[in-house]
Amino acid sequence: QVQLEESGGGLVQPGGSLRLSCVISGRTGSSAAMAWFRQAPGKEREFVAQIPRLGGPTRYADSVKGRFTISRDNAKNMVYLQMNSLKPEDTALYYCAVDLVRSVNYWSQYEYNYWGQGTQVTVSA
């Protein structure tokens, strides 16, 4: 059984930065990929970024490219999302997720097997 727990959310002013963390417990295997999704009130859950557990390209949604960076520390079973130049439209509940087989459709939430409970990010003056 894989469990995920996010942390690091909060209230930040526009233009500010936050770093989200996700600790993953349980075995994920070498083929897994980890991702961040987000869901704003009244909207669908959307893909933010993905990173393979072992090698391969990172992927980003167009809306966050150049501002957000996903990274991992396999020794600590951690995944991070560094968010810079935050905008009010980045306000959402941010989720960490694991896809055990690194599916082709990396942007689809339905490809992911395990999810955390989410951490709230609010960008407001």
Side-chain angles (χ1 to χ4, degrees):
Q1 182 73 8
V2 176
Q3 294 183 317
L4 299 85
E5 184 173 357
E6 305 94 337
S7 61
L11 174 64
V12 63
Q13 292 187 340
S17 298
L18 277 177
R19 187 195 195 206
L20 304 184
S21 299
C22 174
V23 58
I24 302 172
S25 59
R27 293 176 59 89
T28 58
S30 59
S31 299
M34 293 77 76
W36 289 94
F37 283 75
R38 66 186 182 185
Q39 188 168 19
K43 294 190 175 181
E44 298 257 332
R45 190 174 298 186
E46 65 173 3
F47 171 78
V48 175
Q50 189 211 54
I51 187 167
R53 183 173 180 273
L54 293 177
T58 53
R59 315 269 191 184
Y60 294 93
D62 288 343
S63 58
V64 307
K65 276 181 185 175
R67 300 188 298 122
F68 290 12
T69 302
I70 189 171
S71 61
R72 68 179 187 278
D73 184 334
N74 289 339
K76 296 181 179 179
N77 291 323
M78 297 290 294
V79 180
Y80 306 99
L81 186 69
Q82 177 66 43
M83 306 186 294
N84 299 328
S85 302
L86 282 160
K87 306 174 181 180
E89 50 263 44
D90 295 317
T91 295
L93 190 60
Y94 282 71
Y95 296 92
C96 181
V98 169
D99 174 2
L100 294 177
V101 297
R102 195 177 157 191
S103 306
V104 173
N105 298 331
Y106 60 87
W107 60 87
S108 172
Q109 61 174 312
Y110 303 107
E111 302 290 0
Y112 290 81
N113 307 97
Y114 298 99
W115 294 83
Q117 294 298 308
T119 185
Q120 178 68 38
V121 172
T122 302
V123 184
S124 175

